[in-house]
Amino acid sequence: MKENFLWGGAAAANQIEGGWDMDGKGVSTADCLTRGSLTKKREYTDGVLPGYDYPSHEASDFYHHYEEDIRLLGEMGLKCFRTSIAWTRIFPEGDEEEPNEAGLEFYDKVFEACKNAGIEPVITLSHFEMPYGLVKKYNSWLNRRTIEFFIRYCETVFRRYRDKVKYWLTFNEINFMSFHPEIGSGLRGLTQKEVYQAVHHMLLASARAVCLGHEINPDFRIGMMMAYPLSYPENCRPENVLCQIQDMDRHYYYSDVQVRGGYSAKARKFWERYGLTPSMEPGDEEELRAGCVDFIGFSYYQSNVSSVEKGKERAAGNMTGGVKNPYLKASQWGWQIDPVGLRIALNTLYDRYQKPLFIVENGLGAADQLEKDGHVHDTYRIAYLKAHIEQLKLAVEEDGVDLIGYTPWGIIDLVSAGTGEMKKRYGLIYVDKNDDGTGTGKRYPKDSFYWYQKVIASNGEDLDGQE
Ligand code: BGP
């Protein structure tokens, strides 16, 4: 791997920080999501209501542990740390004229700690959250004014952290909007037409942020972020092959705009067919064209299978799931594990766009066991990460893919986005915190911590570990 390859780890404000109402922070949409489980759906309440259990409120308490946590990340040898800024720490309600200084200071300290640990921050501007005030008062992304508020927030953080942060991502997994629009917008019960209108505003906001960021610091590298739920046709039946193409088109809808600078012909036909054409203002298309991203960030956890055949057994998964793949094993949460799929994803995305790629999430959610002696023997996680790193190396070294870095998800245990559980752990660092509120909050490096330390120190050469 090239010398400056960014071996790292990833997290997000609402899943790791806690301190949901500290130092002037406002209520974010993520603060209104209740805890769920594999069998119980998370509920999105109308604001923060008494009697509900909201896991983001305490999460892993990175808010009070960031120094220790970043020191540990430095010990692991991380070159970069992907996390997000909580928009509501900076603009609590979303529509203030002036930012909240205490919120800005918190991230000053976080980035300073990163610098001291030799870690490059990679910052998501909006990771599945936004000010709840913007949802209540303005109807979130359905309203064009939200673009203005988002840009005010971006300008504030771009200027403040101009010399501290170089890598930025606009919206986390923006393609989630087509499947769970409430996660990205805080709005429930949207019609399809409204979804595509809100998405148009988000895409414009992203493009405008890219242009503004480059103006503020031409060295900024600003990327998009999509979930990449790679899908295979179930077999060589032509209808299934077509079905696979159509399934993937739902995701390229977003990346085509953010990477190529405009809606595809297919997207326009899709609007026409279903009456979904979003209303646009003169100049919108030019803005989209001007705001192409510098790189493509994506998450990869599993692959899916596309089929037109009814009644097939289905697998769970990030976002969509799909028909069960008989060649793959699945995680405890039913996500099908497919390391070769990562090489396929890298090849496919690079062939399509010829832009640098960045794997900003990948990992295994598992119910880890903290032993009495403070160890966590997560050999299954080592096996998962090792198999995926082997494949990303092949994509780079044999297929010539331009890959900036790799940041395994939930590098420190945090709250699951899908289920709201702490129990679904991804970390290489264990956080002693349980779903019932018990636990000391203490951090324990897992076996995978020491394994990844070796991987990074050898720049990906030494992948041996006990599996
Ligand atoms: C992605 C999100 C993350 C994260 C991850 C794992 O969709 O960007 O926020 O949580 O998936 O998903 P989960 O937490 O549901 O296991």
Side-chain angles (χ1 to χ4, degrees):
M1 304 298 283
K2 51 188 181 204
E3 267 318 300
N4 59 355
F5 186 74
L6 290 175
W7 296 102
N14 75 82
Q15 291 172 260
I16 195 170
E17 286 179 4
W20 73 288
D21 59 354
M22 300 287 301
D23 302 320
K25 180 181 174 296
V27 177
S28 90
T29 49
D31 294 329
C32 308
L33 266 173
T34 63
R35 199 182 308 269
S37 69
L38 188 55
T39 48
K40 187 170 151 231
K41 261 184 88 119
R42 300 187 75 179
E43 206 184 317
Y44 182 53
T45 58
D46 194 7
V48 171
L49 303 178
Y52 285 86
D53 178 13
Y54 299 107
S56 75
H57 292 199
E58 285 184 15
S60 309
D61 200 21
F62 177 81
Y63 196 71
H64 296 106
H65 287 258
Y66 69 91
E67 282 178 298
E68 173 192 356
D69 286 349
I70 294 171
R71 195 175 35 71
L72 278 169
L73 297 179
E75 239 174 71
M76 221 190 314
L78 256 56
K79 310 273 183 224
C80 76
F81 175 41
R82 173 188 175 222
T83 188
S84 63
I85 295 179
W87 183 348
T88 47
R89 288 202 195 283
I90 315 301
F91 288 96
E93 287 283 310
D95 61 352
E96 295 86 348
E97 292 288 332
E98 295 301 325
N100 172 33
E101 179 57 27
L104 288 166
E105 278 167 15
F106 172 65
Y107 294 105
D108 276 333
K109 291 187 278 185
V110 167
F111 300 147
E112 199 52 41
C114 286
K115 195 171 166 209
N116 293 338
I119 294 173
E120 175 96 46
V122 175
I123 298 304
T124 316
L125 289 155
S126 174
H127 189 120
F128 286 166
E129 63 174 330
M130 64 188 295
Y132 188 64
L134 292 184
V135 179
K136 282 311 266 185
K137 280 196 248 170
Y138 300 90
N139 230 359
S140 179
W141 288 106
L142 267 183
N143 187 335
R144 263 185 98 92
R145 284 206 67 193
T146 298
I147 305 176
E148 198 187 298
F149 299 128
F150 178 72
I151 291 300
R152 187 180 300 164
Y153 155 64
C154 291
E155 177 159 9
T156 306
V157 296
F158 284 162
R159 290 199 189 282
R160 178 80 168 216
Y161 309 123
R162 189 184 176 279
D163 302 314
K164 293 184 169 145
V165 178
K166 174 176 171 184
Y167 291 93
W168 300 89
L169 295 157
T170 53
F171 295 101
N172 183 63
E173 293 186 341
I174 187 166
N175 48 330
F176 238 84
M177 280 297 289
S178 296
F179 303 89
H180 298 286
E182 68 285 358
I183 303 283
S185 70
L187 296 168
R188 286 162 291 172
L190 292 184
T191 62
Q192 279 295 90
K193 180 140 174 90
E194 286 170 329
V195 168
Y196 286 97
Q197 187 62 57
V199 165
H200 177 64
H201 293 151
M202 291 173 84
L203 290 168
L204 263 181
S206 172
R208 218 176 268 181
V210 171
C211 293
L212 176 71
H214 286 153
E215 238 173 79
I216 292 175
N217 185 349
D219 289 337
F220 277 177
R221 305 267 281 139
I222 309 174
M224 63 154 303
M225 159 45 170
M226 75 192 293
Y228 197 75
L230 171 72
S231 199
Y232 303 121
E234 188 186 11
N235 48 38
C236 52
R237 182 177 162 190
E239 286 81 359
N240 286 337
V241 177
L242 185 64
C243 175
Q244 183 270 350
I245 292 175
Q246 289 169 342
D247 280 348
M248 292 310 294
D249 282 342
R250 302 179 73 185
H251 307 291
Y252 295 134
Y253 179 94
Y254 298 82
S255 46
D256 284 351
V257 177
Q258 293 183 292
V259 183
R260 291 179 172 153
Y263 292 105
S264 67
K266 244 189 228 177
R268 291 170 202 272
K269 286 287 175 198
F270 166 77
W271 295 339
E272 275 171 33
R273 197 161 58 248
Y274 298 106
L276 299 175
T277 309
S279 52
M280 297 195 197
E281 287 191 3
D284 282 7
E285 304 234 32
E286 285 70 23
E287 280 208 67
L288 293 179
R289 250 197 309 281
C292 295
V293 292
D294 300 318
F295 67 91
I296 299 164
F298 70 100
S299 63
Y300 176 84
Y301 290 91
Q302 33 112 191
S303 62
N304 297 318
V305 171
S306 300
S307 177
V308 291
E309 290 157 37
K310 303 272 175 256
K312 293 281 160 119
E313 195 185 345
R314 295 187 68 82
N318 193 14
M319 195 172 304
T320 49
V323 170
K324 203 162 182 177
N325 187 332
Y327 300 98
L328 301 178
K329 293 204 175 100
S331 75
Q332 287 168 307
W333 271 260
W335 295 17
Q336 303 181 115
I337 301 171
D338 180 11
V340 177
L342 178 59
R343 183 176 181 184
I344 298 172
L346 286 162
N347 272 272
T348 312
L349 281 169
Y350 197 57
D351 287 349
R352 187 178 180 102
Y353 296 120
Q354 292 94 44
K355 279 261 171 141
L357 305 179
F358 198 156
I359 305 164
V360 293
E361 288 185 30
N362 170 240
L364 181 71
D368 295 331
Q369 179 63 44
L370 177 67
E371 305 292 343
K372 288 212 168 55
D373 60 4
H375 286 100
V376 178
H377 302 301
D378 57 342
T379 47
Y380 38 89
R381 182 167 295 106
I382 295 175
Y384 178 102
L385 295 173
K386 177 181 174 192
H388 285 78
I389 293 175
E390 278 166 356
Q391 294 299 320
L392 75 82
K393 283 177 66 185
L394 289 170
V396 171
E397 289 164 5
E398 297 207 357
D399 309 330
V401 168
D402 182 1
L403 183 64
I404 300 174
Y406 174 68
T407 58
W409 173 250
I411 193 80
I412 302 169
D413 285 346
L414 41 66
V415 172
S416 152
T419 66
E421 293 166 294
M422 275 304 291
K423 185 172 145 205
K424 189 181 187 190
R425 295 171 184 274
Y426 285 86
L428 279 59
I429 296 169
Y430 188 91
V431 175
D432 183 20
K433 178 93 199 289
N434 304 308
D435 288 311
D436 60 7
T438 59
T440 58
K442 205 170 157 209
R443 275 64 173 151
Y444 298 88
K446 303 181 191 176
D447 287 358
S448 54
F449 175 103
Y450 299 104
W451 169 80
Y452 196 43
Q453 195 175 46
K454 275 196 315 172
V455 172
I456 300 176
S458 65
N459 196 19
E461 287 305 307
D462 184 359
L463 296 179
D464 285 341
Q466 290 170 330
E467 289 147 51

